[in-house]
Amino acid sequence: MTISSIFNDALKYPFDNVSKWIIFGIIIIIANISYLFTMFGVTDGTVQAVASLINFIVMFIVVGYSLAITRDTIHGYDELPAFDIIKNFIDGIKAAVLSFIYMIIPTIIFFILLFATGAVNAFSQAVEVSMAGGALSSDLAFNLIGSIGLTFIISLIIYIIFMLFATIAYCRLADTGSFSQGFSFSGIMNDIKRIGVGSYIVWWIVLAIIIVILLLIAMFITVIPYIGYLISLLFISSFVYIFSARATGLIYSNN
């Protein structure tokens, strides 16, 4: 499949499975119930604690169902998978842990860079000067902006590289059901070569652009008092999950 055909398929995919799309949207609403309670003025501590626990549990189901979409796509199915709450929950935990592990190293590098570039030292000096009521010197301001900017640029590049690997690791988990396959770096490299490095990068760029557009639409919808956020969760957030999972499965199975 070409990149354009992958995204054409992924964008149409939820509309071919409307009933399951709506059910998934309702599950996503439940996964955000704590914020909804706050929005509607429910501030009781016990209620919020229970709602937060529900959020935590149901979000794993959301992630696990997304993994199921990717798995079924890789295996050649064109319909949204059936809901299996227990399996979705377990798969969600696996996918979340996998992503967390892949983000540990770039996060550690980020904090190391904060010290290595002098960003922490420059920030501390800036705070001391501000607390004393003084103005930042041009040299200190330059060092602060430069060190922080350099840290974020390098960190962003490293995060993107790890994200590229993590996406294929996620697909290998979906395809095989094996958590260890997500850390088979030789297998991951072979998958990237099979897909094509250029095609994979272009796919990621297009995916990011489409998701940003969808999120901007969601932001406009949430302006509608009360029901706007519910509509956004029910239709837009669920669409983003389904679309992304489908597109991910299609690029992984693409030769």
Side-chain angles (χ1 to χ4, degrees):
M1 298 178 73
T2 63
I3 298 298
S4 60
S5 62
I6 285 174
F7 286 107
N8 283 335
D9 180 298
L11 287 168
K12 294 175 183 177
Y13 181 64
F15 295 99
D16 295 330
N17 303 265
V18 175
S19 60
K20 290 178 181 176
W21 173 15
I22 299 302
I23 293 172
F24 189 47
I26 293 171
I27 293 173
I28 290 176
I29 289 175
I30 296 172
N32 288 270
I33 195 169
S34 177
Y35 179 79
L36 289 172
F37 280 165
T38 301
M39 186 174 68
F40 285 102
V42 179
T43 57
D44 180 79
T46 302
V47 173
Q48 282 291 349
V50 173
S52 296
L53 179 61
I54 293 173
N55 286 5
F56 183 75
I57 294 172
V58 179
M59 187 51 67
F60 283 125
I61 296 173
V62 170
V63 174
Y65 188 69
S66 298
L67 187 75
I69 294 171
T70 301
R71 177 175 57 244
D72 277 13
T73 298
I74 293 171
H75 294 169
Y77 297 101
D78 292 324
E79 293 186 0
L80 276 167
F83 292 94
D84 185 337
I85 300 302
I86 301 301
K87 181 171 177 51
N88 294 154
F89 176 72
I90 295 172
D91 284 347
I93 293 175
K94 289 181 181 179
V97 172
L98 184 75
S99 298
F100 176 76
I101 292 173
Y102 266 93
M103 289 300 106
I104 286 176
I105 294 177
T107 301
I108 292 173
I109 292 174
F110 168 73
F111 284 107
I112 292 174
L113 285 170
L114 284 175
F115 287 93
T117 60
V120 171
N121 184 51
F123 181 76
S124 299
Q125 292 180 33
V127 170
E128 289 177 4
V129 171
S130 298
M131 293 291 289
L136 297 182
S137 66
S138 58
D139 287 343
L140 179 56
F142 179 80
N143 289 337
L144 179 62
I145 295 172
S147 58
I148 291 177
L150 181 61
T151 296
F152 276 96
I153 290 172
I154 296 174
S155 297
L156 178 61
I157 293 171
I158 294 172
Y159 269 108
I160 290 173
I161 292 172
F162 272 80
M163 185 173 60
L164 293 173
F165 281 94
T167 300
I168 300 300
Y170 171 89
C171 290
R172 292 179 67 83
L173 170 63
D175 185 24
T176 65
S178 171
F179 187 76
S180 62
Q181 282 298 312
F183 299 97
S184 174
F185 297 109
S186 61
I188 291 172
M189 288 301 300
N190 288 334
D191 286 334
I192 293 175
K193 291 177 183 177
R194 173 178 54 79
I195 296 167
V197 176
S199 296
Y200 186 40
I201 292 174
V202 170
W203 173 84
W204 247 115
I205 293 171
V206 176
L207 179 69
I209 292 172
I210 294 175
I211 289 176
V212 167
I213 293 172
L214 291 171
L215 292 179
L216 287 174
I217 294 172
M219 287 176 61
F220 282 112
I221 293 175
T222 55
V223 172
I224 303 172
Y226 299 110
I227 64 170
Y229 188 66
L230 286 171
I231 294 172
S232 176
L233 290 174
L234 181 61
F235 294 106
I236 308 300
S237 294
S238 57
F239 185 92
V240 170
Y241 274 106
I242 295 170
F243 157 75
S244 301
R246 176 69 173 179
T248 301
L250 288 173
I251 190 64
Y252 180 77
S253 58
N254 198 37
N255 291 312

